[in-house]
Amino acid sequence: MTRQGIRERVEREEETRFAPYAVRSQDSRGRAHPEKEHEARTVFQRDRDRIIHSTAFRRLQYKTQVFVNHEGDHYRTRLTHTLETCQIARTIGRALSLNEDLIEAISLAHDLGHGPFGHAGEWALSELMKGHGGFEHNVQSLRLVEKLEEIHPDFSGLNLSYEVREGLKKHPERFRERGKARFRSVEAEVVDQSDEIAYTCHDLDDGLRAQMISEEGLEKVALWRELQSYIRKKYPKIENAYRRRLTIRLLINRLVMDLVETTRRHLKRLGVSGVQDLQKIKGALVATSASMVRKRVELRRFLHANLYQHYRVVRMTEKGQRFIRKLFEAYLEKPGQLPPSVKDRVGKDGLHRAVCDYIAGMTDRYVQDEYKRLFEPFERV
Ligand code: MG
């Protein structure tokens, strides 16, 4: 076999392995800037690799999920959240005979646009960008892969395939070409749902670890109660730390398996015979059973009321926003403080957008260091 034949073989294997509604790599609508196909990797494998090798991806390790990085070494970061999302989505994708490479690429890129300090950072930036085009992390993820990452002399961005870029439009109404429907794939919707499963489970875990929420408090939540009664029967002598870990594992499994089963039945009922059919369907492609939706909502509400509003989380949030506002104002007041690479973009994008992109790209710790450099009198600049 020639080297040239490797990708073709992988693509042929997809034909036999994939469900009729899965996206086939060779059917991709391709890239904005046409490139020669790789000899061994499919279009989506190549996209995945570009994402992993991007600068934005490496920064995820020092960006907040809920807990600011310096609060502890065991809390989720934006990077571990991304990996958990990816792993859950791939399990679902394999079970439903979908294109796992496409799933992997979308998952790994889905949070690239998050600024420092998680949602707190996003709120601050969107406030500061009012009247200047706004800021939203999903939109920023797409902006990063389409414009800001630099890997090639001939084009800006990572030049990812159409299907991956569309997969990043989680809330299509927030994107510029409003009114234009998102290209629908089961793969993209699996990633959207896996994102929620991942953060629900790991925030619960981190919240318990930080003792911001308690097991007693969780007794109000049906999902928690069901899992505990199962665990008590099976392991009557289990220790607390094990119980927490076991609960999280069982919880992920329940949510994933419910979604796999319900979605399989749902897609069968819809009678989808190809990706084109998906475009005409109204309503979700990926589904959770009605009873599990109710339980998921109940758990989400519990986390909103007890974890995300916990005074220590609110403090972290406020502190993060304060840093961001201060930096933003300082750069606007004296753009001469911006490094040359950012100043170069001012001409192209305007001062507000260039500053916003600069700050959105920062990790939590970079923001803190930069704050010291700008405001601490005896800190080196
Ligand atoms: Mg996410």
Side-chain angles (χ1 to χ4, degrees):
M1 189 178 11
T2 60
R3 281 208 306 188
Q4 191 62 41
I6 300 175
R7 177 177 44 80
E8 282 86 345
R9 175 178 52 78
V10 174
E11 288 173 348
R12 274 197 306 277
E13 284 166 2
E14 290 185 355
E15 283 297 326
T16 53
R17 231 162 15 93
F18 283 3
Y21 40 76
V23 175
R24 271 121 181 102
S25 305
Q26 58 183 335
D27 294 342
S28 169
R29 295 194 203 174
R31 310 173 186 283
H33 305 273
E35 288 180 63
K36 203 171 148 260
E37 292 257 32
H38 191 267
E39 347 173 72
R41 292 173 299 161
T42 66
V43 59
F44 303 129
Q45 286 180 295
R46 210 172 178 194
D47 284 355
R48 173 205 56 205
D49 298 347
R50 287 183 184 187
I51 293 158
I52 288 189
H53 291 283
S54 70
T55 314
F57 186 78
R58 286 192 297 280
R59 288 176 178 156
L60 294 174
Q61 67 181 316
Y62 289 111
K63 286 188 171 191
T64 293
Q65 181 64 27
V66 171
F67 293 86
V68 177
N69 195 270
H70 62 252
E71 293 283 330
D73 289 345
H74 296 115
Y75 297 120
R76 268 67 175 189
T77 64
R78 203 46 74 179
L79 179 65
T80 63
H81 159 70
T82 295
L83 297 175
E84 288 186 35
T85 300
C86 183
Q87 168 265 112
I88 287 170
R90 286 187 55 185
T91 299
I92 297 169
R94 179 85 61 97
L96 295 173
S97 306
L98 300 171
N99 193 325
E100 257 178 273
D101 298 321
L102 173 57
I103 284 181
E104 206 178 5
I106 299 171
S107 311
L108 293 173
H110 90 281
D111 267 352
L112 288 180
H114 255 297
F117 304 114
H119 282 286
E122 177 169 24
W123 299 326
L125 285 174
S126 97
E127 194 62 38
L128 292 159
M129 289 300 286
K130 259 196 192 137
H132 300 275
F135 178 82
E136 201 270 340
H137 80 270
N138 293 292
V139 176
Q140 190 69 6
S141 296
L142 197 65
R143 182 170 165 77
L144 263 164
V145 301
E146 287 185 341
K147 296 211 164 68
L148 302 181
E149 281 287 327
E150 287 166 346
I151 59 161
H152 203 284
D154 294 342
F155 51 76
S156 52
L158 301 177
N159 200 27
L160 302 180
S161 67
Y162 174 78
E163 291 75 11
V164 172
R165 283 180 288 127
E166 287 294 301
L168 295 176
K169 297 180 180 176
K170 188 172 178 181
H171 303 283
E173 69 285 357
R174 297 180 191 167
F175 288 80
R176 197 155 289 166
E177 332 114 301
R178 279 178 197 126
K180 200 172 156 271
R182 176 193 197 186
F183 167 82
R184 300 196 71 181
S185 66
V186 185
E187 284 84 352
E189 290 180 35
V190 162
V191 175
D192 296 347
Q193 289 297 311
S194 303
D195 184 22
E196 192 185 317
I197 293 177
Y199 65 65
T200 300
C201 297
H202 65 50
D203 289 353
L204 176 64
D205 192 24
D206 282 352
L208 283 165
R209 178 190 286 276
Q211 298 180 323
M212 290 185 187
I213 49 178
S214 68
E215 299 198 5
E216 297 76 64
L218 277 159
E219 284 297 324
K220 286 183 283 194
V221 179
L223 257 176
W224 176 269
R225 270 200 316 274
E226 286 169 23
L227 292 170
Q228 294 318 312
S229 85
Y230 168 83
I231 292 172
R232 265 195 298 272
K233 258 183 241 138
K234 203 146 187 230
Y235 308 98
K237 291 197 181 117
I238 197 166
E239 285 170 41
N240 277 355
Y242 277 122
R243 189 168 61 238
R244 191 188 77 230
R245 273 177 232 151
L246 184 58
T247 306
I248 302 303
R249 267 173 44 207
L250 293 170
L251 179 61
I252 297 174
N253 189 53
R254 266 198 189 199
L255 296 175
V256 167
M257 290 316 295
D258 182 278
L259 190 139
V260 166
E261 268 313 305
T262 315
T263 303
R264 201 158 60 175
R265 268 183 272 126
H266 179 57
L267 289 170
K268 207 165 164 195
R269 215 171 22 238
L270 290 173
V272 187
S273 62
V275 175
Q276 277 323 306
D277 288 359
L278 301 175
Q279 312 311 314
K280 291 170 256 161
I281 290 170
K282 302 254 181 290
L285 303 173
V286 173
T288 303
S289 68
S291 70
M292 192 58 91
V293 168
R294 275 196 300 279
K295 290 177 194 170
R296 250 167 83 163
V297 168
E298 187 193 27
L299 176 55
R300 293 291 317 147
R301 288 214 179 106
F302 177 88
L303 291 175
H304 272 286
N306 298 285
L307 177 63
Y308 307 132
Q309 319 247 5
H310 192 282
Y311 80 95
R312 280 167 54 208
V313 173
V314 175
R315 280 185 187 186
M316 289 188 251
T317 306
E318 280 304 302
K319 202 151 55 162
Q321 292 188 325
R322 210 170 296 136
F323 279 132
I324 288 175
R325 272 187 236 118
K326 286 273 190 198
L327 292 189
F328 203 102
E329 283 158 14
Y331 298 139
L332 279 194
E333 206 179 290
K334 262 270 175 269
Q337 298 180 94
L338 292 165
S341 61
V342 182
K343 247 186 254 161
D344 286 350
R345 294 211 70 99
V346 174
K348 252 182 263 172
D349 299 322
L351 181 58
H352 273 78
R353 182 57 62 194
V355 167
C356 178
D357 284 338
Y358 182 39
I359 295 180
M362 292 179 185
T363 61
D364 298 3
R365 64 174 189 180
Y366 189 91
V367 171
Q368 287 158 356
D369 290 345
E370 181 74 345
Y371 182 88
K372 279 193 225 152
R373 284 191 288 267
L374 294 186
F375 297 104
E376 295 286 333
F378 299 106
E379 191 74 19
R380 290 186 175 199
V381 297

